[in-house]
Amino acid sequence: GAVVSQHPSWVICKSGTSVKIECRSLDFQATTMFWYRQFPKQSLMLMATSNEGSKATYEQGVEKDKFLINHASLTLSTLTVTSAHPEDSSFYICSALGGADIQYFGAGTRLSVL
Amino acid sequence: KQEVTQIPAALSVPEGENLVLNCSFTDSAIYNLQWFRQDPGKGLTSLLLIQSSQREQTSGRLNASLDKSSGRSTLYIAASQPGDSATYLCAVGDSSASKIIFGSGTRLSIRP
């Protein structure tokens, strides 16, 4: 149980375009989901906390207008990277908060912006 | 502000050896501590979760310990195998577990 699906696993896009990443909790409901970013050979850094039905909470230094988060249902949160640029190329991972306050992680999305 | 440090950053050992990975954290008021495995370009696989009231957890060849008072955790891997090669991440859940702070990881390489 407690499976989190993240899609797509890999995306390549042109500079200036927008990319949407989906994070789904498959067998449980998650009122809270998290989005992390990981640069090569670095650890995961929390970008934002996504709360169902309300606005996301962004960490310091993360541009909310660039990284749009929507958590419209108890099983789906989306992260849209708007007007992507090469410096946005990274590995993005989501997690969903399940029972016993345990975060369950998706498999990640590798974004490459040309 | 919680800070999580993992030492060493990289480790290479021959197959069959027992090894210990270290994790330290600055704020002892934690909710839980988790060890993850990450293969190159992949997501996270949860290995062991230790609640703040626990001192250790075991799963197969893995044993994780937690000493909150000293701000330390160790991951012990017995009889290492080449398939254990990966990056191991230590992550500390804050007092509400709503925020996880990750260490920078230890890149482990097991030589056949």
Side-chain angles (χ1 to χ4, degrees):
Chain A
V3 177
V4 174
S5 172
Q6 194 171 333
H7 179 81
S9 57
W10 192 11
V11 57
I12 302 173
C13 69
K14 293 182 179 180
S15 184
T17 61
S18 294
V19 174
K20 179 184 286 188
I21 303 170
E22 294 186 347
C23 181
R24 293 180 184 272
S25 56
L26 297 185
D27 50 1
F28 67 103
Q29 294 183 331
T31 56
T32 304
M33 292 186 177
F34 303 88
W35 288 96
Y36 296 83
R37 180 168 53 186
Q38 183 180 35
F39 290 106
K41 295 187 178 180
Q42 295 186 25
S43 193
L44 280 74
M45 299 296 295
L46 179 65
M47 297 176 65
T49 302
S50 169
N51 299 296
E52 188 268 336
S54 64
K55 292 184 178 180
T57 303
Y58 290 82
E59 295 299 301
Q60 190 174 5
V62 178
E63 300 175 55
K64 63 180 181 179
D65 294 330
K66 182 170 185 60
F67 298 99
L68 300 180
I69 291 173
N70 183 281
H71 194 156
S73 78
L74 289 172
T75 59
L76 174 64
S77 174
T78 60
L79 169 69
T80 300
V81 183
T82 62
S83 185
H85 288 93
E87 58 266 30
D88 298 323
S89 298
S90 187
F91 193 59
Y92 294 86
I93 303 179
C94 73
S95 71
L97 193 63
D101 289 334
I102 295 174
Q103 289 190 31
Y104 297 93
F105 286 81
T109 296
R110 181 159 303 283
L111 171 63
S112 297
V113 184
L114 304 178
Chain B
K1 176 184 176 184
Q2 179 74 270
E3 293 183 3
V4 182
T5 304
Q6 289 186 247
I7 294 174
L11 180 64
S12 179
V13 302
E15 179 178 5
E17 280 200 7
N18 303 325
L19 57 98
V20 175
L21 306 181
N22 297 292
C23 173
S24 61
F25 45 95
T26 55
D27 187 347
S28 61
I30 66 172
Y31 188 80
N32 56 32
L33 184 143
Q34 202 161 357
W35 283 92
F36 293 89
R37 169 185 173 138
Q38 185 177 30
D39 292 286
K42 303 293 185 181
L44 304 180
T45 300
S46 178
L47 299 173
L48 291 165
L49 170 70
I50 310 177
Q51 300 291 357
S52 63
S53 59
Q54 298 174 324
R55 294 191 63 84
E56 68 174 343
Q57 283 287 333
T58 298
S59 175
R61 293 183 294 109
L62 307 179
N63 175 275
S65 68
L66 173 63
D67 184 344
K68 279 203 316 178
S69 62
S70 66
R72 295 180 186 277
S73 175
T74 61
L75 178 67
Y76 175 83
I77 303 177
S80 58
Q81 304 171 358
D84 296 330
S85 297
T87 294
Y88 290 80
L89 295 168
C90 168
V92 172
D94 72 1
S95 57
S96 66
S98 62
K99 181 174 287 190
I100 288 179
I101 308 299
F102 283 85
S104 54
T106 294
R107 293 190 307 280
L108 177 64
S109 175
I110 307 299
R111 306 189 299 271

